[in-house]
Structure formats: structure tokens, C-alpha cells
Amino acid sequence: MLTVETKVKIPFLWGKTVFKKSNWAQINLIVGPNGSGKTLLAQKISEQFEAAGYSVKFLKTDRNYSDQIQILKSNEKIRAKIEKVLSSMFGKSISFIEDIDGTLIPIVENKAWNVEYMLEDAECHGLREIISLLVNLYDTTGDDCLFIDEPELHLHPQFQTFFMNEIRKEVSHSSRRMFFLISHSPFYIDLRTPEELTGVIVCHVNKAPTSIEELNDEDDALFRRFLPRFNTYHKQFFFSDNQIFVEGYTDQQMFTYLLTFIENEYSAAGTGIIDVGGKDELGVFCKVCSLLGTNGRIITDLDSLFSGKLRDVANEDERVISWLEKQRERQEDFYSTIFSPKEMAQEITLSKLIFRLERYLIKIGQELDPLIEETDNEKSSKKCPEKMNLFLSKLHSLKDKHENAESVDTYKTVLLQGVNILGDELIEYLTPQTASTLPIVKNLVAFILAAAEAARIYILSKGCIEHYYSRTSIQYMPVSAKDRLFRTELEFIQDSHRKVVRKNYPELIELLEKAAGKN
């Protein structure tokens, strides 16, 4: 890591905010959406590096190809290296003949067909571009810092990956040489260690860029576990402040289809739905977005309240902490019903609110235990209405499966679903004291969900996305045959008019409208 103090002002893009950064990696990435000032920022940074004594080369998008040819003409070592690369990658070699006026004309030989032709007349943009990039990369004379604007231009994704690997090789040979890539391509987001996150600068529309100066030990450990699972698809969020992360592929597919049905579909331009493969990964993405200053959004299942990294990240999020502080005075009466005076004297956190909710739910479960145990008995099951029996049977199957079901997030989620679905029907099966907590549980859940929304975390209050399907009726978690259920819903959406879809999925569409909103 190298230290160069930089301060950049671009008032017409960021107002009075100043971008500051001191710690730089050898490979730095300046990323973000169109119109966010990436190139302007890079130019300002290059000027300040130059002022600090570094020699700088800035390769713009309109590459001067003749300059690269002159380097090839004068530097036999670079020419030989590039010829080797081209031969290996394309089965082509490049040579030069001198024109009448002394200029050098590049000639390409296609070895497969033993055909020669002039590079500038017959070759595609991609080959010219890779030659141009490699010439500047391999030419180590006179530049400590190489800035490349849009190195992905005209390049196939695999060649972008190849060029990034070549940059890594150059870095391994020099501890001083630095690279700055101004890019829209996820193939250049090639992060292999947590430290490399400090080399990422994220630009935003109408907001100053953000970056990570350093990572603490906890974040370092978190990212070491996370980066090996971080794929190109996930990297979309580096290029937009409007990405929405979900747990699995059925969520991703459903929300992607429904995104086109929100009221103002154009407001969602630039929004992507990214599945990350589990609620723990959601917590990591939430943390990465928080550190990088990107406004990532999360849509997650109800059981995320009761376990997982996302819960911990939300509890520590400054937006949630600030929201709860603002609510403290107006919620004083409500807090006094759920917390002791000693607890009231301390800070009220999201974790404490969720812990209190868990205690209420576990108490309800304990009082239902006799009925849960009797669900195998046909005579006993006749004591309860069908809706109650379904609830009890779900709890029973979870208690059979887990030795200590009360500590299992799905068990607590089913208890909460039962409170929401059955409502007052539960009262006759509980003691008066516990029955009196049912309205408190509902208010507490609503309050917790609102607190989570302060961090742009949207929790599916019914359970998971399958509980919002219109072609099937599912009430409790866990849900089986998710793929089959999803296919049925997808066929319905594809065959239905816009008004029909909006009518059948109002809660999901309303949630999407909030999540896709840019404010």
C-alpha cells in the first residue's frame, strides 16, 4: 500500500463535498455509473500524483494508435513480447515493414491460412485495442502511474480478464508502479484479498466518490471468507447505487419480472436484482455496500430477524442507530411495556428489540407445547380448528427435526407467522397474561421492520416470497418444491395483462417500489 494525500473538488458534480484519499493500492479501480465523474476524478488524481513526484501516463478512450506503433518500432523487447502473446492467443504474428516515407506499417500474418494483411486495413478493433493496452503495459520507461480510461473498449470479457492478469504480473515485478483503471466492466473487479478493496473508488451520480481507507481485523476476516464466492454477476453493485440483493434465484427471478410492473418503471433504470446464495451472504453484501458507500438494498425472508450476519450488520448500521435514537422519545410508552426500568436506562438497539420479540414468541410456543405434542393423536387434533391444526403440525414437525427447536430461526418464524395468521384465535389456547402480549408482538414486529428499512433492508413480513404467490396458498415456512411453485407463478405473470399482475402481487410490487426508489 502506498500513501499519497489527494483532495479533489468537482463542485458541479458533488457540491461542496471534497473527495479525500491517502492509501492507495498498486491496482486501483475507479468505477460507477455513467455521468458520475469517473474520468474527471481520474484526471484530478493523476495531476496530484504528478505533483507528488510520480511520472504519469494517461491513456484516454481515443487511443493514439500511431504512438503505440512507434513504441513497437523502437523497442524490440516489447515487440517480441507482444508477438508471443498474439501468436498464443490468436494464432497470428505481427511484423513491420517500412513505408517509402519511413513510417512503420504493421502486418498481420494469419498462420492458419498463411495469409498476410495490413493491421489497420483489415483487423478488428479488438486486436488493435489489446495491442495498444499491452504496449503501454509493457513499456516501463518513464511512467510510475498508468491511468487507463475504459480498458474494456472493444474487448471480449475473456481478454479483459487476460489483461487484468497481465497487470498483476507487472505489479509483481515492481513495488512502485501503479495502475488506475476507469471502468464499467465487472471483469476488472478482480479482488483477491481484502486489502485490494482499498484500491476501489466508487463514483456516484450527484454525490462525492467513496472508498475504503483501511479495514479492521473483523472486516478483514469477513472478506477473506467472502471473496472466493464473489463472482462476476455479484459485482454489478460496484456500477450502480440502485442494486437490490436477495437470497436465492427464485427471489431474483420473481422480483426481476415484477420490477417492470412498478408504477414508474423508468425510475428503476439501472436497478438490478442480484441473488447472493443465502442470508449470511446478504449480511456480507450489506457490509461491503456500507463500507464502500454504495446504497445497496436488501430484500430478505422473515427468518433473517432471528439469525445470520445480516441481523448483526443491521444492528451496527449507523442509519438504524440514528433512526432508533430519533424514535426514542415518541416510543417511550411502548418501550416501557416491553423493557424494565433498568433496560430503559440503557441504549435501545435493534438486537435488543429482536431479543425481546424472541422471548415473547418462545413463551407462546411453550404454552402451546401440550397441543403441539398431541398433534399425532387424531382425537386431540379434533379439538382445534383446521387452521390451528396446520399451525400446530408445522411446529410439531420442527420440534421433531430439531432437538432444541426454540433456538432455531425457522421455529421462531413459524411462531410469528402463526401470530399474524391466527390473531385472536390463539387467545383461547394461551394464558391471559401471554394472550395479552399478542398485540405487543405485532407492534414490535412492525417497529423492527421499520427500523431495518432505515438501512434499506426490506423484510418479507409474511415469511418468504412463496407466501406472496397468487397461484398457490402457502402459510408457513419452510417451503418445499420452490422451483415448481415458481414456474407456476412465472407462467401466470408471462401470460397476464399488466393490470392483472399488479392486482395479484400488490405487496411485492409496493415493496419493490420502495426498494428501487433512489432516495
Side-chain angles (χ1 to χ4, degrees):
M1 187 176 294
L2 302 172
T3 301
V4 178
E5 298 288 344
T6 56
K7 295 181 182 179
V8 179
K9 296 180 183 179
I10 307 181
F12 67 90
L13 285 178
W14 316 330
K16 296 180 179 179
T17 311
V18 179
F19 171 74
K20 299 178 182 179
K21 187 169 175 62
S22 302
N23 297 326
W24 299 89
Q26 280 192 265
I27 303 174
N28 300 279
L29 300 159
I30 301 176
V31 298
N34 296 109
S36 57
K38 296 185 296 299
T39 301
L40 281 173
L41 173 65
Q43 289 170 340
K44 298 281 188 182
I45 292 171
S46 70
E47 291 166 8
Q48 296 189 26
F49 267 80
E50 214 161 18
Y54 288 81
S55 58
V56 172
K57 181 187 285 186
F58 201 113
L59 201 60
K60 298 180 180 179
T61 52
D62 53 341
R63 325 267 198 244
N64 189 339
Y65 190 64
S66 60
D67 288 348
Q68 325 311 326
I69 296 300
Q70 288 306 310
I71 294 172
L72 281 173
K73 176 182 178 182
S74 60
N75 194 315
E76 186 178 345
K77 184 179 179 181
I78 293 176
R79 187 166 68 247
K81 195 170 184 179
I82 288 179
E83 284 181 356
K84 180 180 178 182
V85 169
L86 294 179
S87 179
S88 299
M89 290 173 65
F90 302 106
K92 299 176 182 180
S93 67
I94 185 169
S95 58
F96 299 88
I97 61 172
E98 195 168 331
D99 203 355
I100 247 178
D101 61 359
T103 58
L104 205 64
I105 300 174
I107 301 296
V108 175
E109 179 190 355
N110 187 329
K111 296 179 180 179
W113 302 106
N114 195 26
V115 175
E116 289 186 347
Y117 53 90
M118 289 172 55
L119 175 66
E120 294 181 1
D121 290 345
E123 191 53 79
C124 62
H125 290 297
L127 188 54
R128 292 193 211 177
E129 188 66 25
I130 198 69
I131 291 172
S132 179
L133 291 173
L134 291 175
V135 166
N136 283 277
L137 177 64
Y138 298 152
D139 182 16
T140 58
T141 59
D143 65 281
D144 300 316
C145 301
L146 177 59
F147 287 74
I148 307 176
D149 200 357
E150 298 191 30
E152 65 272 17
L153 283 178
H154 308 302
L155 291 191
H156 185 279
Q158 305 311 325
F159 295 153
Q160 295 175 38
T161 302
F162 157 76
F163 183 61
M164 191 64 180
N165 288 334
E166 289 299 286
I167 290 177
R168 286 193 174 279
K169 290 179 187 176
E170 291 298 311
V171 163
S172 69
H173 299 149
S174 170
S175 60
R176 180 174 171 84
R177 201 167 184 217
M178 299 175 68
F179 296 90
F180 294 79
L181 308 181
I182 306 105
S183 178
H184 295 101
S185 171
F187 293 96
Y188 285 109
I189 307 290
D190 180 37
L191 304 172
R192 301 185 181 183
T193 66
E195 293 82 6
E196 291 182 4
L197 274 167
T198 60
V200 179
I201 302 172
V202 182
C203 295
H204 316 274
V205 176
N206 298 323
K207 191 177 86 170
T210 50
S211 68
I212 299 172
E213 277 291 272
E214 56 186 359
L215 296 169
N216 60 36
D217 291 343
E218 182 182 348
D219 291 336
D220 186 276
L222 177 69
F223 294 135
R224 285 190 188 281
R225 182 176 63 85
F226 161 71
L227 285 174
R229 302 196 296 274
F230 188 49
N231 62 42
T232 303
Y233 175 64
H234 294 150
K235 296 170 187 175
Q236 295 176 66
F237 82 91
F238 282 98
F239 304 94
S240 170
D241 278 343
N242 219 29
Q243 300 299 332
I244 299 172
F245 301 100
V246 296
E247 289 187 35
Y249 86 94
T250 55
D251 304 72
Q252 188 272 335
Q253 286 288 295
M254 276 295 291
F255 283 122
T256 297
Y257 274 93
L258 292 176
L259 193 60
T260 61
F261 294 93
I262 66 175
E263 189 69 38
N264 183 2
E265 59 188 284
Y266 300 112
S267 68
T271 298
I273 313 292
I274 303 173
D275 68 275
V276 300
K279 61 187 175 187
D280 276 345
E281 273 64 30
L282 282 176
V284 177
F285 275 89
C286 192
K287 183 70 173 179
V288 174
C289 288
S290 175
L291 288 169
L292 283 172
T294 62
N295 193 13
R297 298 93 196 273
I298 306 287
I299 298 178
T300 185
D301 295 348
L302 188 60
D303 59 356
S304 293
L305 284 178
F306 303 117
S307 70
K309 182 65 182 175
L310 182 61
R311 167 178 166 168
D312 299 334
V313 171
N315 184 62
E316 297 166 4
D317 193 288
E318 289 297 329
R319 293 167 294 182
V320 173
I321 294 169
S322 175
W323 189 88
L324 288 173
E325 285 175 354
K326 291 175 182 177
Q327 297 292 320
R328 180 69 190 245
E329 188 174 341
R330 72 178 68 176
Q331 297 296 334
E332 201 75 21
D333 290 342
F334 178 59
Y335 284 168
S336 66
T337 64
I338 62 176
F339 293 120
S340 67
K342 183 178 178 180
E343 291 169 323
M344 288 280 288
Q346 301 170 352
E347 180 187 8
I348 303 298
T349 65
L350 183 63
S351 282
K352 287 182 179 178
L353 291 165
I354 295 172
F355 178 69
R356 183 62 54 187
L357 172 63
E358 289 175 317
R359 289 184 61 178
Y360 283 129
L361 293 173
I362 289 169
K363 181 63 178 173
I364 291 169
Q366 289 171 343
E367 293 196 5
L368 293 174
D369 265 346
L371 286 172
I372 295 171
E373 294 300 324
E374 291 177 357
T375 52
D376 281 340
N377 186 313
E378 188 177 343
K379 290 182 179 179
S380 299
S381 65
K382 291 179 180 178
K383 296 178 184 177
C384 303
E386 185 178 345
K387 284 175 64 177
M388 186 67 182
N389 273 329
L390 176 60
F391 173 53
L392 294 173
S393 67
K394 281 288 181 179
L395 294 174
H396 184 272
S397 64
L398 288 168
K399 288 179 78 72
D400 268 358
K401 184 177 179 180
H402 302 283
E403 187 175 347
N404 184 16
E406 290 182 353
S407 65
V408 176
D409 53 359
T410 309
Y411 184 78
K412 287 177 276 196
T413 302
V414 171
L415 283 168
L416 180 52
Q417 289 177 306
V419 171
N420 290 329
I421 293 168
L422 297 169
D424 291 344
E425 294 178 42
L426 275 177
I427 291 175
E428 65 176 284
Y429 304 101
L430 303 172
T431 63
Q433 182 179 359
T434 301
S436 69
T437 67
L438 294 178
I440 295 173
V441 167
K442 292 182 180 181
N443 288 338
L444 182 52
V445 171
F447 188 68
I448 290 169
L449 298 191
E453 282 192 21
R456 306 305 297 266
I457 298 171
Y458 302 91
I459 297 172
L460 295 166
S461 60
K462 286 186 177 181
C464 56
I465 199 165
E466 288 79 13
H467 296 104
Y468 296 84
Y469 284 177
S470 63
R471 303 299 92 193
T472 51
S473 178
I474 299 169
Q475 293 184 314
Y476 297 102
M477 295 177 75
V479 178
S480 57
K482 288 188 174 186
D483 187 69
R484 177 177 56 79
L485 297 173
F486 161 69
R487 296 294 168 192
T488 302
E489 296 299 316
L490 182 58
E491 288 174 10
F492 172 72
I493 292 171
Q494 291 173 332
D495 294 340
S496 298
H497 188 272
R498 181 179 180 84
K499 288 183 179 179
V500 174
V501 174
R502 285 185 58 83
K503 181 180 179 181
N504 277 270
Y505 305 94
E507 294 160 297
L508 292 180
I509 291 173
E510 181 184 356
L511 187 149
L512 263 180
E513 287 172 339
K514 288 195 291 184
K518 291 182 171 62
N519 295 326

